[in-house]
Structure formats: structure tokens, C-alpha cells
């Protein structure tokens, strides 16, 4: 559904990418998006979260 | 209406004793337990009324047959159709309700419950028929004895097999290793948010189910059986989640190499002992029981005999 990351490059394609300034904002953004989208936030690597729709 | 009066009308004694045995069997098998079904007074009335019809049909069949009235058998056929509708009714009701459950029962569990409802009506027909037959052949006292025997058999076989009969159930530590969540050595899922990791670390209880044989391995792998485990435990201990929180969903995953089933759930009531008891006593679903070992052995024996 969406990607949240602190890296400026590395993601391409049709998924919306949300840029975060630091780790704290990464958590906060992912948290908000998880609640808004009723999605599950998974950690892809140290700098990126992936929001996935489940059920 | 006194006993001698009843005895001077033997047909009436057969039918009434038979019907009573049928209804009593149905009543004994109609339990509302922790699964909370059928818990509603009207649900029970429906099933008791159907039990009465089943009992009466079974009891009336005997005097009708002795009267050489063989068309009575067609009524039993009609009854079978009626009770198949009971199965449909239960399936539809439960499927409709399942959409509103935080942890759904799943189609396999619903089918299992519906089949039981149909089967129990046939059992009450059988109890009524048998009691009525014995009253006709041997008098009311042996009839009552056989009726009581039918009730005892119904109580004895009311309960099916449980999960603990086919698998070893053990509590297992829930580990969070970076984003990875593991129960024992079974990988469950990737948890992103620190908040969710904290909740899972605090609330989660994990179990490892080790199959006792190769047949049990197939049963545990069945998705319907797994959903039944999650539903039953969630009903007994509550769930720490809400709609739209997919990260806090209880889940069961298979350790592919070992065939062990890892179960993770977040109960409202954090009581590991109760949780262990409730996992152990989850009913085995008829649709999940497979016997590949027996089938393969038979095929082998056949091949040996044929060759």
C-alpha cells in the first residue's frame, strides 16, 4: 500500500513513498499510516517500512 | 392418566416412551457451553421442538410397521430432508454471524457444527425407534431400560476427540528478534512498529503443537483446524485487539521442516495455564482428520497381494 523510508532513493514504481527525516519520524509516520489505512506495518530494513493490507 | 391406563393402551405407551427417549436424548446433547452456541433461549426452543418431532417420528414408526403400514417409512425419508434443512439453517446463521467476529470460526468449524446438529437429530430418531421397539416387543420396563441406555450412550459419545489426542501441546516463549517474531523456533511474522513489538512482548502467549504421528501432521496443517484453535482460545480468554489492527491478529503458522504448529495469540486474560487447557481441549474437526498412513498401508498391502 505504501512505503515509509528515510532513504531518498531505492524505491520506484506505483507505490506512494513517504520520506521521513529520522528514525523517530519513521516510526511516527508508519504508526499514523497503519492506523489510517487499517494496515500492517512491516520492517523491510533499518530505514524502511512497508505497509501491507491484511484481511 | 395413571400407569394402568397407559398400560391398557400399549400403542400409546410405545409412542410416548419412545418420544420421551428421543426428546431426552436431544436435550442432553443440546449444550450451550463456552462456544456460546446455541445460547439464546429461542435457539434452544427451535432445537428442542425439532427433537420432539424427531422423537415422535422414530416412536410412531414402530407401531406403524407392526400394523403393516409400510408407507410410514416414507415419513422417515421426509424427516431426513427436514433435518438436512436444519444443517443448512445452522450453516447460514453461523456464516452470517462469522463476519462480525473479531476472530472468526472459519468455514470448516461451521460445517462441523452444522453436521453435528443434523446428526444429533438422527440419533434422537434412533433412540426413540429403539425404545419404542423394545416397549412393543418386551414391555415398558425393558423399554425404559433401553431408553436410559440410549441416553447413557449419547452422553458417552457426545464429546469428540480433542487436540491433545493427536498433538503434544506445550507453552513456548515468544521471541522478538529485530522485526522478526518467533514462537519457539517457528517464524510467525515481521513486526514493524516498536509500539506493536511492546504490546506483543507484554501480552502474547505462544504454544508449540507437536504432532504425535504422521496423520496428526496433516490435521494440524489444515487451515480450518488452525482457525478453530484460534477462535476457541479467543472465545475463552478474550482478545487484545480491535477491528482494523491486523498486527494483533492471533495466528498459527507451520514450521515447515518440523511439521510443528506455532500458535500465537494475545489474550485479554493473561493466564498461561487456562490458555494451555483451552488449546488442549479444542475439538478436532471431522473435516480436518485425514488418515494418509492407513490409506498408504492399504495400498501397499494391495500391491503386495496383487504382485
Amino acid at each position: 500500500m505504501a512505503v515509509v523510508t528515510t532513504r531518498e532513493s531505492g524505491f520506484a514504481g506505483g507505490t506512494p513513498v513517504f520520506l521521513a527525516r529520522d528514525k523517530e519520524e519513521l516510526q511516527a509516520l508508519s504508526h499514523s499510516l497503519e492506523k489510517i489505512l487499517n494496515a500492517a506495518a512491516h520492517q523491510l530494513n533499518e530505514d524502511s517500512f512497508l505497509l501491507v493490507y491484511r484481511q | 392418566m395413571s400407569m394402568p391406563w397407559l398400560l391398557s393402551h400399549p400403542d400409546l405407551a410405545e409412542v410416548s416412551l419412545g418420544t420421551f427417549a428421543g426428546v431426552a436424548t436431544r436435550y442432553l446433547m443440546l449444550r450451550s457451553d463456552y462456544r456460546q452456541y446455541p445460547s439464546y433461549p429461542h435457539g434452544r426452543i427451535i432445537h428442542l421442538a425439532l427433537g420432539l418431532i424427531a422423537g415422535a417420528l422414530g416412536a410412531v414408526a414402530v407401531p406403524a410397521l407392526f400394523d403393516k403400514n409400510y408407507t410410514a417409512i416414507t415419513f422417515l425419508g421426509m424427516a431426513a430432508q427436514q433435518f438436512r434443512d436444519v444443517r443448512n439453517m445452522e450453516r447460514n446463521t453461523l456464516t452470517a454471524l462469522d463476519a462480525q467476529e473479531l476472530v472468526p470460526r472459519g468455514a470448516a468449524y461451521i460445517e462441523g457444527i452444522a453436521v453435528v446438529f443434523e446428526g444429533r437429530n438422527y440419533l434422537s430418531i434412533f433412540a426413540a425407534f429403539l425404545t419404542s421397539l423394545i416397549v412393543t416387543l418386551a414391555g415398558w420396563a425393558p423399554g425404559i431400560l433401553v431408553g436410559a441406555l440410549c441416553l447413557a450412550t449419547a452422553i458417552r459419545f457426545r464429546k469428540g476427540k480433542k487436540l491433545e489426542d493427536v498433538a503434544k501441546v506445550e507453552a513456548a516463549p515468544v521471541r522478538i528478534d529485530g522485526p522478526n517474531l518467533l514462537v519457539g523456533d517457528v517464524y510467525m511474522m515481521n513486526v514493524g512498529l516498536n509500539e506493536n513489538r511492546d504490546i506483543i512482548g507484554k501480552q502474547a502467549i505462544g504454544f508449540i503443537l507437536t504432532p504425535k504421528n504422521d496423520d496428526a501432521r496433516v490435521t494440524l496443517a489444515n487451515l480450518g483446524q488452525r482457525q478453530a484453535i484460534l477462535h476457541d482460545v479467543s472465545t475463552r480468554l478474550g482478545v487484545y485487539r480491535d477491528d482494523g489492527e491486523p498486527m494483533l491478529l492471533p495466528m498459527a503458522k507451520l514450521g515447515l521442516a518440523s511439521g510443528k504448529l506455532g500458535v500465537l495469540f494475545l489474550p485479554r486474560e493473561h493466564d498461561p495455564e487456562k490458555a494451555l487447557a483451552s488449546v488442549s481441549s479444542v475439538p478436532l474437526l471431522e473435516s480436518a482428520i485425514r488418515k494418509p498412513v492407513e490409506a498408504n498401508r492399504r495400498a501397499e498391502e494391495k500391491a503386495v497381494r496383487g504382485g
Side-chain angles (χ1 to χ4, degrees):
Chain A
M1 288 171 100
V3 170
V4 188
T5 181
T6 50
R7 281 190 208 170
E8 293 205 15
S9 60
F11 290 98
T15 322
V17 178
F18 295 83
L19 271 181
R21 275 189 301 272
D22 49 30
K23 291 257 162 79
E24 219 169 285
E25 199 185 354
L26 185 70
Q27 286 277 344
L29 256 179
S30 306
H31 176 263
S32 306
L33 281 171
E34 191 187 77
K35 300 303 166 211
I36 295 165
L37 299 172
N38 281 353
H42 295 292
Q43 191 174 15
L44 209 54
N45 53 42
E46 276 296 299
D47 316 305
S48 330
F49 276 65
L50 192 63
L51 282 125
V52 183
Y53 174 74
R54 294 200 187 280
Q55 296 212 326
Chain B
M1 195 169 69
S2 62
M3 205 66 195
W5 182 84
L6 197 64
L7 291 178
S8 62
H9 296 76
D11 277 5
L12 203 63
E14 284 160 39
V15 173
S16 53
L17 281 176
T19 309
F20 179 76
V23 176
T25 311
R26 188 70 195 91
Y27 178 71
L28 271 179
M29 290 188 294
L30 186 68
R31 302 254 300 188
S32 65
D33 55 7
Y34 65 91
R35 272 157 281 182
Q36 290 302 309
Y37 193 82
S39 59
Y40 322 104
H42 295 95
R44 309 199 78 173
I45 289 171
I46 289 171
H47 288 292
L48 281 179
L50 283 167
L52 181 74
I53 294 171
L57 274 170
V60 167
V62 174
L65 285 179
F66 271 87
D67 208 27
K68 294 205 167 47
N69 187 357
Y70 298 119
T71 45
I73 290 295
T74 54
F75 278 90
L76 289 181
M78 207 177 70
Q81 181 60 45
Q82 197 68 32
F83 297 130
R84 253 200 301 282
D85 284 346
V86 170
R87 176 160 151 193
N88 264 333
M89 174 187 85
E90 288 308 327
R91 183 194 296 127
N92 293 341
T93 316
L94 286 173
T95 310
L97 293 176
D98 217 28
Q100 315 291 326
E101 296 269 1
L102 277 177
V103 181
R105 280 190 172 85
Y109 201 178
I110 289 178
E111 200 54 43
I113 295 174
V115 168
V116 165
F117 270 107
E118 187 184 352
R120 289 183 173 180
N121 277 310
Y122 295 136
L123 278 181
S124 39
I125 289 190
F126 187 65
F129 185 85
L130 214 62
T131 309
S132 180
L133 185 70
I134 299 299
V135 174
T136 314
L137 294 178
W140 62 272
I144 290 176
L145 198 72
V146 167
L149 212 66
C150 284
L151 293 188
T153 321
I155 294 175
R156 169 74 182 77
F157 291 107
R158 185 173 57 196
K159 284 191 177 137
K161 277 195 170 179
K162 291 176 181 172
L163 204 58
E164 60 188 349
D165 294 329
V166 302
K168 198 170 80 180
V169 184
E170 290 167 303
V174 178
R175 282 191 295 136
I176 298 174
D177 182 13
N180 300 321
L181 175 65
L182 297 104
V183 170
D185 51 2
V186 179
Y187 177 84
M188 302 302 283
M189 63 172 162
N190 175 305
V191 186
L193 292 178
N194 287 337
E195 185 195 357
N196 286 338
R197 288 181 201 167
D198 291 345
I199 294 177
I200 291 172
K202 218 188 297 169
Q203 290 287 337
I205 298 186
F207 287 99
I208 289 282
L209 277 60
T210 316
K212 287 184 178 168
N213 54 43
D214 285 344
D215 290 340
R217 198 182 292 263
V218 186
T219 305
L220 285 187
N222 184 291
L223 289 175
Q225 182 66 55
R226 292 195 223 172
Q227 192 60 39
I229 298 172
L230 299 176
H231 174 84
D232 260 18
V233 177
S234 305
T235 314
R236 281 174 74 159
L237 298 176
V239 270
Y240 194 91
R241 80 173 288 254
D242 194 9
D243 190 32
E245 296 271 3
M247 287 315 280
L248 304 179
L249 203 65
M251 59 183 344
K253 282 235 172 186
L254 211 55
L256 281 178
S258 57
K260 290 179 182 175
L261 187 71
V263 181
L264 171 88
F265 47 90
L266 295 95
R268 184 60 68 180
E269 194 181 338
H270 202 274
D271 186 335
E273 263 177 45
K274 263 190 207 160
L276 183 71
S278 58
V279 173
S280 305
S281 61
V282 170
L284 270 191
L285 301 186
E286 282 179 38
S287 59
I289 297 174
R290 304 281 150 82
K291 302 210 161 153
V293 177
E294 201 177 311
N296 291 339
R297 200 190 60 221
R298 278 196 194 144
E300 262 171 40
E301 281 171 3
K302 211 173 172 186
V304 169
R305 256 183 279 141

